[in-house]
Amino acid sequence: MKSSRLVSILLLLQTRGRMTAAQLAEELEVSVRTVYRDVEALGAAGVPLYGDAGHAGGYRLLDGYRTRLTGLNADEAEALFLAGAPGPAAQLGLGSVLAAAQLKVRAALPPELRGHADRISGRFHLDAPGWYAGADETPYLPAVADAVWDSRVLHVLYRRWREPTDVERRLEPYGLVLKAGRWYVVAGPGPRTYRVDQIIQLAAVDEEFTHPHDFDLAAYWSAYQRDFHDRLYRRAAVVRLAPGVTLDRATDHRTQKDGWTTVTVPVESVDHAHAEFLRLGTGIEVLEPPELRERIARTVAELAERYGNFRAHGDD
């Protein structure tokens, strides 16, 4: 849109100083002729914009002309640019909107605060997903985000882990949460939490819902995480840890004379604990529950036999 382009020209000149028509055209992905017309429109609107001819020429704003944000200090400016998450914004279809907003904010900052903002965005990069987690395909994320914003009902076909796996749901989407690179939608009635990547069909209907006036998304998510943790770690294991070895969530520490420490650790399941404890090698000994200790003992015996046979085979 022309109005948006005019604002972009103004902010670019305010941020970068002198720019040629060719530079502006390249930045805005328009023709030089379009830039000429836009510059004339800005001048007609009273913007103190002038151009210099020659090799070092270009357009620039009259010194001192700028729109400022007031009340921002250096720490606030840094935090503002650190909070900009281009990956999630792009997933929501707001990548260009975020870039435009950051340009506007940067242009409105005084030079000294602009330097702080540039430094923070150049030295810190936020990458939420884990190393070994593949990116979830979320083709319906923009549609869900629109429904959240417009308070529109969604009819979805949702895939869950238990039977029946594919179920139809009517959702009143209250909000979106990005956790460890994965998107969740919190929706009524309930409310309940759904993984956006598990929505396999979606239809937006021409039906509005009333957003609960007392619903707090951040408070709900904190409570949901606490409840999830309590449901996840319903069992406990008692283990001995070698000196220097630690485990998250460990309680009831008792240190023996040999330097080993006996602790109690909440575990999700025997299967999960088996995998987690094996990676500590000889730095851990499982005492309880008996089925976990026996399973690890069997695994260690199988490994010893396998690697013993490999060594013997290699000596022949």
Side-chain angles (χ1 to χ4, degrees), residues 80-263:
L80 185 62
F81 276 78
L82 182 61
Q91 289 180 307
L92 289 169
L94 299 174
S96 60
V97 176
L98 175 64
Q102 288 185 329
L103 175 61
K104 292 177 182 179
V105 172
R106 185 179 182 277
L109 291 173
E112 63 276 9
L113 294 189
R114 192 185 309 158
H116 282 284
D118 290 342
R119 186 160 57 249
I120 200 74
S121 60
R123 298 185 183 181
F124 293 91
H125 176 70
L126 304 180
D127 185 13
W131 279 107
Y132 303 107
D136 293 327
E137 295 294 330
T138 53
Y140 296 112
L141 179 60
V144 173
D146 287 343
V148 169
W149 185 252
D150 296 332
S151 298
R152 293 282 179 180
V153 171
L154 293 174
H155 287 174
V156 304
L157 184 63
Y158 186 77
R159 179 159 293 162
R160 58 183 185 175
W161 63 271
R162 65 178 182 272
E163 295 289 345
T165 55
D166 295 353
V167 294
E168 294 183 357
R169 290 288 184 265
R170 176 188 179 277
L171 304 184
E172 299 177 357
Y174 298 159
L176 279 165
V177 176
L178 177 62
K179 172 69 173 179
R182 179 169 289 159
W183 287 97
Y184 299 85
V185 58
V186 179
R192 300 182 65 183
T193 303
Y194 302 86
R195 281 176 49 175
V196 178
D197 65 303
Q198 294 304 302
I199 296 176
I200 54 180
Q201 289 182 17
L202 178 146
V205 296
D206 189 19
E207 178 186 355
E208 294 187 18
F209 66 90
T210 301
H211 198 283
H213 71 278
D214 58 347
F215 178 75
D216 185 314
L217 181 61
Y220 168 85
W221 187 256
S222 295
Y224 175 79
Q225 288 188 100
R226 288 194 300 269
D227 180 62
F228 178 80
H229 183 277
D230 292 341
R231 287 184 286 108
L232 188 63
Y233 297 104
R234 288 185 172 178
R235 305 192 64 179
V238 179
V239 302
R240 295 179 72 234
L241 300 176
V245 178
T246 60
L247 280 175
D248 293 338
R249 306 182 305 274
T251 60
D252 192 23
H253 295 70
R254 291 165 289 170
T255 303
Q256 282 81 46
K257 293 181 180 180
D258 58 3
W260 284 60
T261 304
T262 301
V263 300

